[in-house]
Amino acid sequence: MKRLRRQAVDFDFDGGTLTTDGGLLLLREVDRRLDLIRRLDQAIPDPRDPLHTVHPQAELLTSRIFAIAAGYEDGNDHDALRHDPAFQVAAGRVPAEHNYDGDHSPLASPSTHSRLENRIDTKTILRLNELLVDLFLESYEQPPEEIILDYDATDDTIHGNQEQRHFNGFYDGYCFLPLYVFCDDHLLVSHLRPSKVGAAHHARPITKLLIQKIRSRWPDVKIIIRGDSGFAIERLMRWCDKNDVGYVFGLQHNNVLDKQIACEMTQAQIRHGLYGGTQSVFKWFRYRTQKSWDCSRWVVGKAEYSSQGTNPRFVVTNLPSEEGIVDPTYRRVTIDGKRVRQLQDAGTLCSVAINPEEFYRTRYCPRGEMENRIKETQLGLFADRTSCSRFVANQFRLMLSSFAYVLLDGVRRLGLSDTKAARLRVDTIRLRLLKIAARVRVTSRRVVFHMASHCPSEALYEHVMQRLCRSD
């Protein structure tokens, strides 16, 4: 190697008990606060004989979920990580090089992790999803007055000839179609589906179970579900209408809807000609499909005109009016041979915002923030690393990434709130707080992590650790 002035520059891998993931201590404290790994262990049956088991199931779950959080996407990475002192401490073992109990065995190998993935069944997956909801409910000290559940589907490209392999025309490839449900930053559902189904497939039964679970804890909370046009299906909206659940869904435009905002589109075009830029005009109106809907519903129409031309958008909702304004809708009936108008739906309330633009921008547009959370799980936590042959095993991999998200979001929520770093993405949290070099020194009474002396995140790390270690 090139010399540094008069000195030779060389390297070796004989530094001793070192780790590049000293920040896993933070995840260890988050796990203690959430009691996550223990509850996961209880939710997953372990058929192995304890007398012949070297690696407890809780240890397997800790090492795999912590590895995903630390940026290691593949189970094969554990061939090296099983010797890492930070992962050994996180899993409850004294670092193997200086284990005073005489147990020098490393953590589990990749093959052991693979066997865990392939013995999971669908009943276990349901219990894991239920745990996600429990963690969400426990994150609130007091029941909120209102929650908004954001629904969205995304593509998950497959890796070969796997179970439930199908081509999806919208994404133009072979993929899975996972369904996610978030409430703000909280992940409630990550459900893997084949891509031959629609975006709202299983949304109704999942919603039913979610609402039952939430209302069993918070009976008075107002619940609103929100999604794009793929979720504006009659079965889901009808269920929400009957069960006092609000919804705000995008609505695919058609000729009938376009005619409803024809005047508003002309106004937007005139404004564009006068002022340039993108101009929008909004309108409330009632709409019912010819066959699929069983009643009329309120729709916000957005007539948008720009240099690219027209861009009509629509949102359907059942949110009642805070002002209690009655919408008088009429029907034509025959009385004494004359066609007259008769009040049909007296008492039908118009939507929550008198201003349709305010409703559209404050009630519907914020759903785009959910896409950032999906990116965090897909890109930052490898939720798309579903390369197992069995479909259920791939669903379990998705769940592992989901629980890694729960841990990192716990760092954000419990340790970074009320700081300038409160909105850091999970990959940035990993870079600043987990990827810290440390020398691990083990004595008979202590395991000490000597962090890098010139760590740029030293102050932030100490602040987060102090908050996480406070008495509950």
Side-chain angles (χ1 to χ4, degrees):
M1 297 178 63
K2 184 178 180 180
R3 297 178 65 86
L4 179 63
R5 296 181 181 179
R6 297 181 180 180
Q7 297 169 303
V9 178
D10 205 349
F11 72 95
D12 61 41
F13 288 91
D14 298 325
T17 309
L18 303 174
T19 181
T20 58
D21 297 291
L24 291 188
L25 295 179
L26 294 179
L27 295 186
R28 185 169 177 265
E29 291 303 315
V30 173
D31 175 56
R32 179 187 64 82
R33 294 282 295 270
L34 301 180
D35 196 21
L36 176 62
I37 297 300
R38 185 192 65 81
R39 296 159 77 178
L40 277 173
D41 185 35
Q42 289 184 342
I44 301 175
D46 188 355
R48 300 175 300 169
D49 185 351
L51 297 177
H52 300 89
T53 299
V54 177
H55 305 287
Q57 183 170 259
E59 179 186 290
L60 297 177
L61 294 168
T62 301
S63 57
R64 188 71 197 105
I65 293 173
F66 279 44
I68 293 172
Y72 302 98
E73 64 177 300
D74 200 350
N76 291 334
D77 294 324
H78 288 273
D79 198 34
L81 296 179
R82 61 197 301 224
H83 304 283
D84 189 289
F87 284 92
Q88 290 173 340
V89 170
R93 289 180 178 243
V94 177
E97 185 178 350
H98 300 288
N99 194 315
Y100 287 90
D101 296 329
D103 180 10
H104 297 281
S105 62
L107 298 176
S109 66
S111 59
T112 305
H113 285 282
S114 180
R115 285 191 290 270
L116 170 62
E117 293 174 351
N118 284 279
R119 63 176 168 84
I120 302 298
D121 57 20
T122 54
K123 291 183 179 180
T124 301
I125 295 298
L126 291 175
R127 288 193 292 269
L128 297 183
N129 268 300
E130 186 175 357
L131 177 56
L132 277 177
V133 182
D134 287 334
L135 292 166
F136 160 71
L137 295 172
E138 293 165 5
S139 66
Y140 287 81
E141 294 182 359
Q142 298 292 332
E145 294 183 2
E146 176 185 289
I147 59 173
I148 299 178
L149 306 180
D150 285 308
Y151 288 52
D152 204 359
T154 188
D155 64 315
D156 176 1
T157 304
I158 66 171
H159 296 73
N161 190 21
Q162 299 162 264
E163 284 185 1
Q164 303 290 353
R165 176 180 185 267
H166 296 283
F167 183 84
N168 186 283
F170 181 81
Y171 294 107
D172 193 27
Y174 288 90
C175 60
F176 297 129
L177 193 70
L179 171 66
Y180 288 96
V181 179
F182 281 84
C183 180
D184 294 328
D185 291 344
H186 298 277
L187 176 58
L188 281 76
V189 174
S190 55
H191 175 56
L192 194 67
R193 305 171 299 177
S195 62
K196 66 178 181 179
V197 301
H201 186 69
H202 288 161
R204 182 177 175 272
I206 286 175
T207 300
K208 182 178 179 180
L209 293 173
L210 268 179
I211 301 306
Q212 289 176 348
K213 183 77 173 177
I214 293 172
R215 283 183 172 163
S216 67
R217 187 79 63 89
W218 301 333
D220 299 324
V221 67
K222 179 181 178 181
I223 302 174
I224 301 171
I225 63 176
R226 183 167 58 189
D228 60 21
S229 60
F231 295 91
I233 60 173
E234 172 63 19
R235 294 183 69 238
L236 180 56
M237 292 189 292
R238 185 171 62 243
W239 187 90
C240 291
D241 291 333
K242 292 180 179 179
N243 292 273
D244 192 27
V245 176
Y247 57 79
V248 182
F249 295 137
L251 190 61
Q252 188 70 34
H253 78 97
N254 55 44
N255 292 334
V256 177
L257 291 170
D258 290 344
K259 288 179 181 178
Q260 287 281 352
I261 60 170
C263 292
E264 286 71 24
M265 189 64 75
T266 301
Q267 294 178 36
Q269 185 175 1
I270 293 173
R271 292 182 182 180
H272 172 73
L274 292 174
Y275 307 112
T278 300
Q279 300 295 328
S280 302
V281 181
F282 296 80
K283 176 187 177 181
W284 281 113
F285 60 91
R286 298 282 285 181
Y287 172 73
R288 178 180 179 178
T289 62
Q290 188 173 7
K291 295 182 179 180
S292 58
W293 291 8
D294 64 355
C295 65
S296 297
R297 292 183 169 91
W298 278 104
V299 173
V300 178
K302 176 187 177 184
E304 181 177 280
Y305 196 93
S306 67
S307 59
Q308 303 298 319
T310 61
N311 181 28
R313 299 280 177 165
F314 302 93
V315 170
V316 59
T317 183
N318 70 340
L319 293 182
S321 171
E322 293 176 350
E323 292 79 10
I325 295 179
V326 175
D327 168 52
T329 57
Y330 297 87
R331 61 178 176 176
R332 293 281 182 176
V333 298
T334 301
I335 300 178
D336 296 332
K338 296 182 180 180
R339 297 281 291 175
V340 298
R341 295 197 331 164
Q342 186 179 74
L343 188 62
Q344 180 182 17
D345 295 325
T348 300
L349 300 179
C350 66
S351 192
V352 67
I354 297 301
N355 184 343
E357 180 177 1
E358 177 188 349
F359 182 91
Y360 186 89
R361 298 196 186 282
T362 62
R363 284 296 196 179
Y364 181 70
C365 290
R367 65 166 295 275
E369 183 62 24
M370 178 196 182
E371 296 181 5
N372 293 326
R373 307 287 80 76
I374 294 179
K375 289 178 182 178
E376 286 186 304
T377 59
Q378 295 279 96
L379 303 180
L381 297 171
F382 323 112
D384 58 350
R385 191 68 169 90
T386 48
S387 56
C388 294
S389 297
R390 294 179 62 244
F391 185 77
V392 177
N394 285 318
Q395 170 69 85
F396 182 60
R397 284 196 172 188
L398 179 63
M399 297 301 301
L400 291 174
S401 294
S402 299
F403 287 113
Y405 173 86
V406 169
L407 283 179
L408 287 171
D409 184 57
V411 174
R412 182 164 55 196
R413 177 169 50 86
L414 301 174
L416 294 174
S417 60
D418 302 325
T419 70
K420 294 181 179 180
R423 298 304 302 162
L424 291 181
R425 298 184 320 194
V426 296
D427 54 337
T428 308
I429 293 174
R430 174 194 300 147
L431 181 64
R432 294 190 184 181
L433 296 177
L434 302 190
K435 292 298 181 181
I436 301 177
R439 177 171 61 88
V440 183
R441 183 169 60 89
V442 182
T443 68
S444 59
R445 295 186 178 183
R446 303 178 68 194
V447 177
V448 184
F449 280 66
H450 295 282
M451 303 293 190
S453 299
H454 300 287
C455 175
S457 302
E458 177 182 352
L460 184 61
Y461 186 97
E462 290 182 342
H463 172 77
V464 174
M465 182 62 79
Q466 288 175 2
R467 294 192 64 176
L468 292 176
C469 292
R470 287 186 311 190
S471 299
D472 297 334

